[in-house]
């Protein structure tokens, strides 16, 4: 890391450095942006993916479990390329550009209607989506969720909710959180530096789909309650740390957030209509949404403001 720091210092005197940029919970100085430009230029022959990995190694941009944030770095590089801050090598196209369309099977494969009580579906299981089942999960979200299926940003986990008999009842997606929301940030009470450092300890429920063929009273709130118990363990296993807070955004023109309220999520207010992934001040228009949060620790707010929020918390009652 000492070699990297010397290199950043040497480059800081070059003219044309961009202003600092905050992306994916990290602030990048003008010197670091100059370093990114040099990497994009000197290692153009390696391709964008290897450039991103190299930058992550130089800047020690890693997840708490030690893995490089090369996916986030690539997205940042592509954004900087579009803004003219740096120049990336041409893509080596191996197929259609952009997100791959989700193939939706014919209506003859509609799920069978499910009625009855929660007790009849027990034991309910929240199951992480395996690679072999990924296509089924994406098809269900694309077909039945009003937002469709999009490639998630950064750290994420996907779940099926299955009945004791193995029937798929619901699909969930947990992802990285919104960068800035006034109501949430005021509730936590953190400043911009604390948010930049600790944002990763919030996880967003960005998709929650009860299949339209499933009609079981109380199922949605039950799933949310059990998710809050299981997700921290799964997140720690995959990413090396436990989240402190869950959040979600509910389209108020479509829903009232009834299931979240029933599961004891806290209503904080409404968004300002910005984009949850607006991390480079590229404001886009989005519908105003209702903000709900669920603390995973009884002192979640204080922990999110602390210097080491996840240090030595294994028991939420500590």
């Amino acid at each position: 890391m000492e070699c990297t720091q010397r290199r950043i210092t040497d480059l800081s005197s070059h003219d044309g450095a961009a202003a600092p940029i905050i992306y994916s919970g990290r602030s990048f100085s003008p010197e670091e942006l100059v370093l990114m430009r040099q990497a994009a230029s000197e290692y153009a022959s390696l391709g964008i993916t290897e450039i991103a990995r190299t930058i992550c190694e130089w800047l020690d941009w890693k997840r708490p479990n030690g893995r490089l944030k090369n996916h986030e770095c690539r997205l940042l590089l592509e954004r900087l390329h579009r803004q003219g801050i740096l120049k990336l090598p041409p893509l080596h196209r191996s197929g259609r550009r952009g997100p791959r369309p989700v193939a939706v099977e014919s209506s003859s494969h509609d799920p069978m209607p499910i009625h009855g009580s929660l007790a009849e579906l027990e034991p309910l299981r929240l199951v992480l989506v395996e690679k072999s089942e990924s296509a089924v999960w994406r098809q269900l979200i694309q077909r039945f969720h009003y937002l469709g299926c999009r490639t998630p940003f950064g750290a994420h986990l996907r779940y099926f909710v299955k009945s004791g008999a193995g029937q798929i009842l619901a699909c969930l997606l947990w992802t990285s959180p919104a960068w800035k929301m006034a109501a949430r940030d005021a509730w936590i009470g953190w400043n911009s530096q604390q948010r930049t450092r600790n944002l990763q300890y919030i996880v967003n429920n960005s998709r929650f789909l009860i299949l339209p063929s499933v009609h079981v009273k109380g199922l949605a709130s039950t799933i949310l309650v059990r998710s809050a118990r299981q997700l921290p363990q799964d997140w720690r296993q995959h990413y090396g740390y436990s989240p402190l807070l869950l959040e979600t955004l509910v389209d108020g023109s479509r829903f009232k957030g009834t299931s979240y309220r029933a599961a004891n999520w806290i209503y904080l207010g409404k968004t300002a209509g910005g984009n949850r992934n607006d991390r480079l001040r590229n404001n886009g228009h989005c519908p105003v949404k209702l903000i709900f949060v669920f603390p995973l620790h009884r002192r979640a707010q204080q922990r999110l403001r602390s210097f080491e929020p996840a240090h030595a918390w294994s028991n939420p009652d500590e």
Side-chain angles (χ1 to χ4, degrees):
M1 193 59 190
E2 291 180 359
C3 179
T4 300
Q5 292 297 336
R6 285 199 301 272
R7 194 164 192 179
I8 292 175
T9 302
D10 293 342
L11 289 169
S12 63
S13 61
H14 290 199
D15 55 7
I21 285 177
I22 296 176
Y23 192 82
S24 190
R26 173 165 176 163
S27 178
F28 295 91
S29 68
E31 293 81 5
E32 290 173 325
L33 294 174
V34 170
L35 184 66
M36 291 182 188
R37 287 215 302 266
Q38 179 173 331
S41 174
E42 292 185 357
Y43 301 103
S45 61
L46 298 179
I48 300 175
T49 298
E50 288 304 316
I51 292 173
R53 289 173 178 165
T54 299
I55 290 172
C56 286
E57 291 175 354
W58 284 358
L59 301 184
D60 198 32
W61 195 16
K62 300 177 180 179
R63 306 187 191 283
N65 64 359
R67 295 179 182 175
L68 298 176
K69 285 195 169 184
N70 53 289
H71 175 69
E72 291 89 335
C73 186
R74 177 172 178 143
L75 294 178
L76 172 59
L77 292 175
E78 291 175 349
R79 182 77 65 86
L80 296 176
H81 174 78
R82 291 194 297 270
Q83 293 183 342
I85 296 175
L86 55 75
K87 185 176 181 180
L88 292 174
L91 290 173
H92 301 294
R93 298 184 182 177
S94 57
R96 176 171 174 164
R97 187 176 180 181
R100 291 177 294 174
V102 178
V104 177
E105 296 178 355
S106 70
S107 58
S108 62
H109 294 85
D110 284 345
M112 294 294 293
I114 298 175
H115 299 268
S117 66
L118 273 171
E120 294 172 330
L121 300 177
E122 295 288 1
L124 290 179
R125 295 178 294 128
L126 274 71
V127 183
L128 286 167
V129 176
E130 300 290 342
K131 187 174 181 180
S132 60
E133 295 183 303
S134 179
V136 175
W137 188 94
R138 290 187 289 112
Q139 288 174 21
L140 291 173
I141 292 291
Q142 179 66 22
R143 187 173 180 188
F144 297 119
H145 197 286
Y146 75 99
L147 291 176
C149 184
R150 301 173 186 171
T151 302
F153 178 89
H156 65 277
L157 291 178
R158 298 178 299 169
Y159 288 89
F160 283 123
V161 180
K162 296 184 178 181
S163 69
Q167 302 158 300
I168 296 176
L169 307 173
C171 303
L172 296 101
L173 173 63
W174 299 88
T175 65
S176 57
W179 167 241
K180 182 187 296 185
M181 290 193 295
R184 180 204 64 193
D185 296 340
W187 180 81
I188 294 172
W190 57 12
N191 56 38
S192 58
Q193 291 79 16
Q194 292 167 334
R195 185 185 67 234
T196 298
R197 184 176 64 240
N198 298 334
L199 186 68
Q200 63 186 335
Y201 296 102
I202 302 177
V203 179
N204 185 284
N205 179 211
S206 60
R207 293 290 188 276
F208 183 17
L209 169 70
I210 301 287
L211 296 186
S213 58
V214 178
H215 306 277
V216 178
K217 185 177 181 180
L219 177 61
S221 59
T222 298
I223 290 173
L224 289 171
V225 169
R226 299 190 186 187
S227 293
R229 295 173 185 166
Q230 181 172 335
L231 176 73
Q233 302 172 30
D234 292 339
W235 200 269
R236 185 176 186 84
Q237 181 177 355
H238 281 76
Y239 297 108
Y241 65 99
S242 298
L244 291 164
L245 185 71
L246 305 179
E247 71 176 22
T248 196
L249 303 175
V250 175
D251 189 337
S253 66
R254 293 174 176 267
F255 311 104
K256 297 180 180 180
T258 303
S259 59
Y260 290 95
R261 298 177 196 270
N264 294 321
W265 286 54
I266 303 169
Y267 172 68
L268 297 183
K270 300 178 180 179
T271 66
N275 189 320
R276 70 176 293 272
N277 285 329
D278 178 22
R279 305 187 179 198
L280 287 179
R281 305 180 182 90
N282 182 21
N283 294 324
H285 176 71
C286 286
V288 173
K289 295 186 178 181
L290 312 179
I291 305 170
F292 290 88
V293 298
F294 186 86
L296 297 172
H297 189 284
R298 66 185 181 89
R299 294 197 299 271
Q301 291 156 286
Q302 294 92 324
R303 298 271 174 150
L304 287 168
R305 296 194 300 265
S306 69
F307 185 75
E308 294 182 335
H311 180 66
W313 93 265
S314 56
N315 185 344
D317 294 324
E318 286 180 349

